[in-house]
Amino acid sequence: GENVGLHLPTLSVQEGDNSIINCAYSNSASDYFIWYKQESGKGPQFIIDIRSNMDKRQGQRVTVLLNKTVKHLSLQIAATQPGDSAVYFCASRLDDKIIFGKGTRLHILP
Amino acid sequence: DVKVTQSSRYLVKRTGEKVFLECVQDMDHENMFWYRQDPGLGLRLIYFSYDVKMKEKGDIPEGYSVSREKKERFSLILESASTNQTSMYLCASSHGQAQHFGDGTRLSIL
């Protein structure tokens, strides 16, 4: 099976700084990974994904890094803004099944 | 953009009632999913469907059933609601990769 977990339940970051949210997975056969953002009162929103044949992928202000050796992925948010305040969680795909982590709440400090 | 619409944002029902939660997606996705989301437990898969009239049990199907009569619509049914089914229910759809979520139905069973 697969377990997906985030390292910290909460993370506080100064506005304007970069945020790094980490996630670990347990099964090396997982082949696809996704980061979601969930704002209060809303459903999870797709941010960025990465396949296991890549180790980095960039989007607008976000970067996902995948380290298959240690089964770890991270989401980096550049120049964190108040609108980035949300719960972030990762998901991995194993045998066509998506497994979700429990989430890290990102607090933005003024 | 993918639009997944859940018919109710908030719903209050009584123990023993039969409850219907409706979900519609507008992107012709084959795959649809129902999850519940509870504090500390993350997203848990109830049922999913890969095609019309097809359904598969997820990790916690007990007390629930589903219906997929049309490709765009996936209904979750609580046959006889109980208080432990009070939760946030999230519907998602996908076309092979990342799932796209609705904004959820917060269901309270009294």
Side-chain angles (χ1 to χ4, degrees):
Chain A
E2 167 73 299
N3 282 312
V4 178
L6 279 88
H7 295 182
L8 291 173
T10 62
L11 177 66
S12 295
V13 174
Q14 206 76 38
E15 183 178 348
D17 287 353
N18 297 335
S19 302
I20 300 175
I21 302 170
N22 296 304
C23 186
Y25 62 98
S26 62
N27 197 314
S28 57
S30 295
D31 65 352
Y32 175 66
F33 304 89
I34 313 156
W35 278 101
Y36 287 93
K37 172 186 181 183
Q38 187 173 19
E39 297 175 272
S40 181
K42 294 188 176 181
Q45 178 185 2
F46 170 86
I47 302 172
I48 192 167
D49 58 1
I50 188 168
R51 296 185 185 278
S52 59
N53 61 355
M54 303 170 68
D55 52 21
K56 180 178 180 179
R57 190 159 187 230
Q58 286 185 288
Q60 190 176 15
R61 271 201 316 120
V62 295
T63 301
V64 55
L65 299 177
L66 176 63
N67 185 330
K68 293 181 287 294
T69 303
V70 295
K71 296 195 281 290
H72 178 273
L73 71 157
S74 66
L75 176 71
Q76 299 180 5
I77 305 173
T80 310
Q81 303 168 358
D84 295 327
S85 178
V87 174
Y88 292 82
F89 53 94
C90 62
S92 66
R93 183 176 67 186
L94 176 66
D95 298 330
D96 287 333
K97 185 175 180 182
I98 301 287
I99 299 101
F100 293 89
K102 291 186 174 56
T104 291
R105 182 172 293 280
L106 180 63
H107 293 281
I108 314 303
L109 304 172
Chain B
D1 277 354
V2 176
K3 183 87 173 153
V4 179
T5 303
Q6 294 183 231
S7 54
S8 304
R9 292 298 304 277
Y10 301 93
L11 208 52
V12 179
K13 296 291 182 180
R14 295 207 172 271
T15 303
E17 281 192 73
K18 190 169 185 176
V19 181
F20 294 85
L21 302 184
E22 305 288 348
C23 175
V24 176
Q25 51 96 2
D26 66 357
M27 285 303 291
D28 203 36
H29 285 169
E30 295 88 0
N31 311 324
M32 296 189 75
F33 308 82
W34 274 106
Y35 294 89
R36 59 179 287 176
Q37 186 178 35
D38 300 287
L41 297 177
L43 285 165
R44 292 183 290 167
L45 181 63
I46 305 171
Y47 266 97
F48 60 99
S49 169
Y50 288 157
D51 202 353
V52 176
K53 299 212 187 276
M54 177 268 178
K55 59 185 178 184
E56 292 280 350
K57 292 180 180 180
D59 300 319
I60 52 163
E62 297 78 18
Y64 303 94
S65 63
V66 289
S67 172
R68 186 132 183 238
E69 295 296 317
K70 293 184 178 181
K71 191 174 185 180
E72 68 271 18
R73 185 180 296 270
F74 192 35
S75 304
L76 179 69
I77 303 153
L78 286 66
E79 297 290 344
S80 177
S82 63
T83 55
N84 63 11
Q85 292 178 309
T86 290
S87 187
M88 168 71 89
Y89 289 87
L90 288 162
C91 174
S93 74
S94 76
H95 178 61
Q97 297 182 28
Q99 295 177 18
H100 298 268
F101 287 85
D103 278 337
T105 295
R106 188 165 291 283
L107 175 64
S108 296
I109 307 297
L110 305 179

